[in-house]
């Protein structure tokens, strides 16, 4: 693969140059050091107007209530369906999150993934009117390919539910399920007709995969540290810092959503370390490369 | 790869035939279903006279006491060093295990792996007088190759410490660190000179990777179920059952240590489901293929 063939949807300029220079530098490293980790929401796929998984959970709740109307009497579900912010605030996130997780307690991970895949590939994004699974960033798909062309093992490290992302990771990213690290629930091994069957519980295993937990889970799941990390929010901060705290070539990429016309324009508040420090200042201070969607990407989505 | 070239150290006979027939049948499955999981101690490498990791921990304790003699005053360490079974029984396994885990609390996983690798590649097995890392089963290395030749993704699912196995998995098994699932400790992200550094704690994450936990961790780490599993003890029971509880071809392989001359002869008590049921009866009842080391393997170790 010649580098001129790589990253066709990336415009010529310092960002694309920085990525290509890093890939060339990494060629000199032993293959086992070429590890790349990428956040999912807002880095590989669109996260607006709200997290796709939140849309999925609303969809699942609506479906569950249609089947069992008595569920709507539960305070947490009522508040969600009514979009009652006051009630949600009063109930508190842990209680609301637990209630949502309980919607899928007792089903197998395979059944959960089938529902997630169905949702992602058929339900339409409210603004763009295409299935959610089509709203992956074309330049990031090309970046995954470029990394692999340079011998990298590529992994998704998402704050989202691991099964939710795994349900489509092979098709969308050419990443097998074991290449996805995310927030997980615990499983229970049951017997049905004497055969072992794994079912989901409503209990989250080891906390949400955000911030420092992303780094711990990278070690726990992958057992080797990355030299490339891409993210777009404060939940990716430690992962990006960790990837660049190595000897030799490394690259941290921060996707800046600055394209209101073609995608959305927003600065994840969490992307700044302090309220007073801008995303650009943070990146500059830490030597991260900021990807301007407006400036650096000729195309945003595959269907354009 | 022609199948006649596969499994050269396996003697002709029904066991080898069963493995080759399974590999052929699996060729018809979509690639993503070809998942193989293999236990480590007693399945891929020798586990006698005691678990290699126990030898390593004794080695590490001895080294720590040489550096800091006051450690020997701690009851748990004293009992271990004196091989005082009565004292160990009185202290209880959880307390002893915690004390041992505390030996490595605060060091990085990279440092732990370096020590484990050094031990495995230089310290000699008490009976065979070769480094522990040479005591892998040659026929199982060939089985890993045969599985990969038939498009399988191969994973180690060990009751042992995940970092201990990962320290040598690429060299021994051609399996990258992320392909190893095992018992794990939690990590803590610290800052040193402002840079993020991950260190081990003494706390085990989610319990020992044995029995039903192996199945839960397969789902958690790999996100897809196996159709091939190999093990040698009761700690592998659920994993073997899980691999064969699928539609289509599957194979569960149970390694029977029946070769006192070339390796060891022992029946892991845990390999029987009840005290009264023999390992052969269990395998027959569940349709597992039993590998007789004495009968089925022409060679045991690579150096023979």
């Amino acid at each position: 693969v010649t580098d001129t063939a790589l990253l066709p949807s990336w415009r010529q300029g310092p960002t694309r140059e920085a990525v290509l220079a890093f890939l060339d530098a990494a060629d000199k490293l032993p293959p086992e050091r070429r590890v790349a980790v990428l956040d999912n929401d807002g880095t590989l796929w669109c996260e607006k107007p709200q997290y796709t998984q939140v849309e999925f959970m609303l969809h699942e709740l609506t479906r569950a209530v249609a089947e069992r109307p008595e569920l709507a009497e539960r305070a947490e579900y009522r508040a969600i369906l009514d979009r009652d912010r006051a009630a949600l605030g009063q109930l508190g996130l842990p209680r609301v999150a637990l209630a949502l997780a309980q919607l899928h307690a007792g089903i197998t991970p395979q059944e959960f993934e089938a529902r997630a895949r169905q949702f992602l590939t058929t339900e339409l994004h409210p603004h763009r009117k295409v299935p959610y699974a089509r709203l992956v960033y074309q330049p990031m798909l090309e970046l995954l390919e470029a990394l692999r062309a340079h011998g990298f093992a590529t992994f998704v490290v998402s704050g989202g539910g691991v099964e939710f992302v795994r349900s489509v990771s092979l098709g969308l990213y050419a990443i097998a399920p074991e290449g996805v690290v995310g927030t997980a629930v615990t499983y229970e091994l049951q017997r049905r007709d004497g055969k072992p069957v794994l079912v989901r519980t409503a209990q989250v295993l080891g906390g949400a995969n955000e911030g420092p937990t992303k780094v711990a889970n990278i070690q726990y799941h992958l057992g080797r540290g990355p030299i490339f990390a891409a993210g777009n929010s404060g939940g990716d901060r430690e992962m990006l810092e960790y990837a660049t705290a190595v000897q030799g070539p490394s690259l941290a990429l921060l996707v800046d959503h600055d394209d209101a016309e073609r995608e959305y324009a927003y600065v994840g508040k969490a992307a700044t370390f302090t309220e007073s420090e801008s995303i650009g200042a943070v990146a500059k201070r830490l030597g991260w490369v900021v990807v301007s969607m407006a400036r650096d990407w000729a195309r945003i989505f595959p269907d354009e």
Side-chain angles (χ1 to χ4, degrees), chain A:
Chain A
V1 180
T2 60
D3 280 352
T4 51
L6 296 176
L7 308 180
S9 300
W10 292 65
R11 292 204 184 101
Q12 303 291 334
T15 307
R16 186 172 183 277
E17 288 309 311
V19 173
L20 292 175
F22 164 73
L23 292 174
D24 283 341
D27 286 348
K28 295 171 194 81
L29 296 175
E32 63 270 21
R33 285 205 55 208
R34 298 182 214 165
V35 175
V37 293
L38 299 97
D39 170 57
N40 190 47
D41 292 294
T43 301
L44 292 176
W45 78 25
C46 180
E47 64 178 356
K48 292 290 172 184
Q50 59 185 342
Y51 290 133
T52 310
Q53 196 167 355
V54 172
E55 301 280 8
F56 171 66
M57 292 308 292
L58 279 171
H59 177 87
E60 287 288 288
L61 178 57
T62 305
R63 173 171 126 157
V65 168
E67 281 170 17
R68 289 182 293 153
E70 72 276 13
L71 283 179
E73 287 160 32
R74 186 166 168 177
E76 296 91 335
Y77 296 150
R78 187 74 271 152
I80 296 168
L81 292 168
D82 291 349
R83 288 167 163 72
D84 182 342
R85 283 170 182 278
L88 287 169
Q90 211 159 14
L91 288 161
L93 184 61
R95 214 175 128 179
V96 173
L98 179 67
L100 284 174
Q102 284 170 342
L103 275 181
H104 295 116
I107 72 169
T108 65
Q110 293 78 21
E111 165 68 13
F112 180 91
E113 283 195 24
R115 291 193 202 177
R117 193 179 302 115
Q118 171 77 9
F119 174 86
L120 286 163
T121 55
T122 61
E123 291 295 317
L124 304 186
H125 184 272
H127 300 162
R128 303 195 67 92
K129 312 293 182 199
V130 297
Y132 287 98
R134 299 303 302 160
L135 295 178
V136 289
Y137 303 130
Q138 174 65 25
M140 295 305 281
L141 301 182
E142 295 167 8
L143 178 57
L144 284 171
E145 277 174 41
L147 285 160
R148 290 189 285 253
H150 281 266
F152 275 79
T154 53
F155 302 97
V156 177
V157 179
S158 173
V162 68
E163 292 156 341
F164 189 69
V165 182
R166 280 173 174 167
S167 74
V168 290
S169 65
L170 191 61
L172 292 190
Y173 307 135
I175 292 178
E178 63 268 23
V180 180
V181 179
T183 301
V185 294
T186 62
Y187 300 108
E188 194 183 291
L189 194 68
Q190 298 182 348
R191 297 257 162 198
R192 293 182 188 169
D193 302 326
K195 293 203 170 192
V197 176
L198 216 52
V199 299
R200 305 176 103 237
T201 74
Q203 198 193 334
V204 170
L205 179 66
N209 191 42
E210 287 287 357
T213 303
K214 281 201 173 185
V215 176
N217 276 335
I218 285 170
Q219 176 60 34
Y220 176 45
H221 281 265
L222 312 183
R224 42 182 180 157
I227 60 167
F228 173 92
N232 78 306
S233 82
D236 304 314
R237 166 190 167 176
E238 287 82 0
M239 177 169 85
L240 268 65
E241 287 186 275
Y242 190 63
T244 53
V246 296
Q247 298 289 323
S250 66
L251 186 66
L253 217 63
L254 190 70
V255 176
D256 186 10
H257 295 263
D258 59 355
D259 194 328
E261 202 179 320
R262 296 186 302 167
E263 203 238 10
Y264 297 93
Y266 62 97
V267 178
K269 226 186 222 167
T272 59
F273 293 3
T274 65
E275 290 295 323
S276 60
E277 197 174 21
S278 76
I279 195 168
V282 171
K284 192 173 179 185
R285 178 159 64 78
L286 294 169
W288 297 350
V289 171
V290 176
V291 179
S292 157
M293 293 178 76
R295 194 185 60 233
D296 293 321
W297 289 356
R299 247 169 107 191
I300 307 271
F301 298 115
D303 294 329
E304 280 168 28

